[in-house]
Amino acid sequence: MRIPLIAGNWKLYKTIAESVALVNELKPLVENSAGVQIVVAPVFTALSRVFDATEGSQIKLAAQDCYWEEEGAFTGEVAPKLLKDAGCSYVIIGHSERRQYFGETDVTVNKKTKAAVAAGLDAIVCVGESLAERESEQTFSVIEKQIQGGLAGLSAEAFSHVVIAYEPVWAIGTGKTASDAQAQEVHAFIRQLVVRLFGQAVADSVRILYGGSVKPENVKGLMSQPDIDGALVGGASLKAESFAAICSFNS
Ligand code: 13P
């Protein structure tokens, strides 16, 4: 009942021309990836042009961040409704790189998530523990705090527009993927948290993505876990061939 979602987070890579070229290369490769939703998240400046390039395909567009106000004197920020205007269906919120380098907190994640959903976007809300937190056995308490804080005050209806991405910080860009069992353990924990917060039916339908060194070689094992509903892919999404291979994990 949960349609798998494979999202490519392009981070701070690629010019407009390179982004458009990547989508054009990707399109024929994922044409037959039935039963999977595919999302790409280019840099802000490429969104609109990439959206044009996705036309006639099933590829959806995401931004990598947003602000929580609709408009005003907020130099440098981008409002959710402007992302919608540029063609976005999704926005990534609270990525660990934003938490680490740009002062993102559970409070700002919460404001952004509410604003994004109110503007008609689906929010991909990221959570994940650092290596030190895992080694000191704080993984579950960290995730619980991030989920409770990031999703505080959302109605069940608003939450139906949220996708959760579990990205252990120690697995991002390191080549070290969480094992299938390690990822499944946290995904199951997250789903139980959602049961507590929003009820069983909502928890059964929310998609929980895994992110952190996902590659064509490990995606099948991860996706075969009962609570892993997709992937948020960094490095391997920057090449059409590897991203397409990940998108066709079920073929
Ligand atoms: P990598 O796939 O490069 O580890 O990045 C994961 C990530 O941060 C996706 O948001």
Side-chain angles (χ1 to χ4, degrees):
M1 71 186 282
R2 299 188 293 265
I3 300 170
L5 173 61
I6 306 289
N9 174 9
W10 295 356
K11 306 192 179 183
L12 186 46
Y13 291 100
K14 296 190 185 289
T15 62
I16 295 172
E18 288 164 349
S19 301
V20 168
L22 176 52
V23 163
N24 284 334
E25 220 186 312
L26 191 60
K27 281 204 289 190
L29 300 179
V30 296
E31 216 172 33
N32 298 319
S33 302
V36 180
Q37 280 176 2
I38 299 171
V39 172
V40 295
V43 296
F44 284 127
T45 49
L47 285 172
S48 174
R49 293 277 297 280
V50 168
F51 177 66
D52 293 342
T54 61
E55 245 183 286
S57 80
Q58 54 147 329
I59 301 168
K60 300 280 184 211
L61 191 67
Q64 298 176 16
D65 186 28
C66 68
Y67 192 51
W68 55 80
E69 295 288 352
E70 277 190 30
E71 60 180 16
F74 302 108
T75 303
E77 293 298 329
V78 182
K81 72 172 182 188
L82 301 184
L83 298 177
K84 189 101 183 134
D85 183 47
C88 290
S89 309
Y90 291 86
V91 56
I92 298 170
I93 294 175
H95 191 280
S96 69
E97 286 148 18
R98 299 218 58 86
R99 294 177 189 260
Q100 212 175 331
Y101 308 128
F102 304 102
E104 191 87 83
T105 64
D106 296 332
V107 171
T108 58
V109 167
N110 186 241
K111 289 184 179 190
K112 290 177 177 186
T113 303
K114 286 176 176 160
V117 170
L121 293 165
D122 282 4
I124 301 176
V125 178
C126 304
V127 298
E129 82 287 2
S130 67
L131 184 59
E133 289 162 345
R134 174 159 283 264
E135 285 177 343
S136 57
E137 297 183 2
Q138 294 178 70
T139 298
F140 294 124
S141 61
V142 167
I143 302 291
E144 181 164 358
K145 191 174 148 288
Q146 290 173 337
I147 297 264
Q148 271 178 344
L151 303 176
L154 259 79
S155 65
E157 153 55 27
F159 185 73
S160 71
H161 297 284
V162 170
V163 173
I164 295 172
Y166 169 57
E167 298 204 302
V169 177
W170 49 272
I172 296 177
T174 57
K176 260 199 241 167
T177 325
S179 69
D180 299 347
Q182 274 175 327
Q184 166 57 27
E185 184 185 33
V186 178
H187 280 234
F189 174 76
I190 292 172
R191 204 175 300 284
Q192 281 315 306
L193 273 178
V194 176
V195 172
R196 243 171 52 206
L197 294 171
F198 298 102
Q200 188 70 50
V202 173
D204 284 341
S205 58
V206 67
R207 288 179 294 184
I208 308 174
L209 316 183
Y210 169 80
S213 300
V214 174
K215 308 218 160 12
E217 302 78 53
N218 59 27
V219 68
K220 258 186 205 294
L222 289 161
M223 289 303 293
S224 67
Q225 300 300 311
D227 289 296
I228 300 184
D229 308 310
L232 185 52
V233 187
S237 72
L238 295 171
K239 291 214 163 72
E241 206 171 79
S242 49
F243 190 58
I246 291 171
C247 293
S248 44
F249 68 91
N250 60 0
S251 62

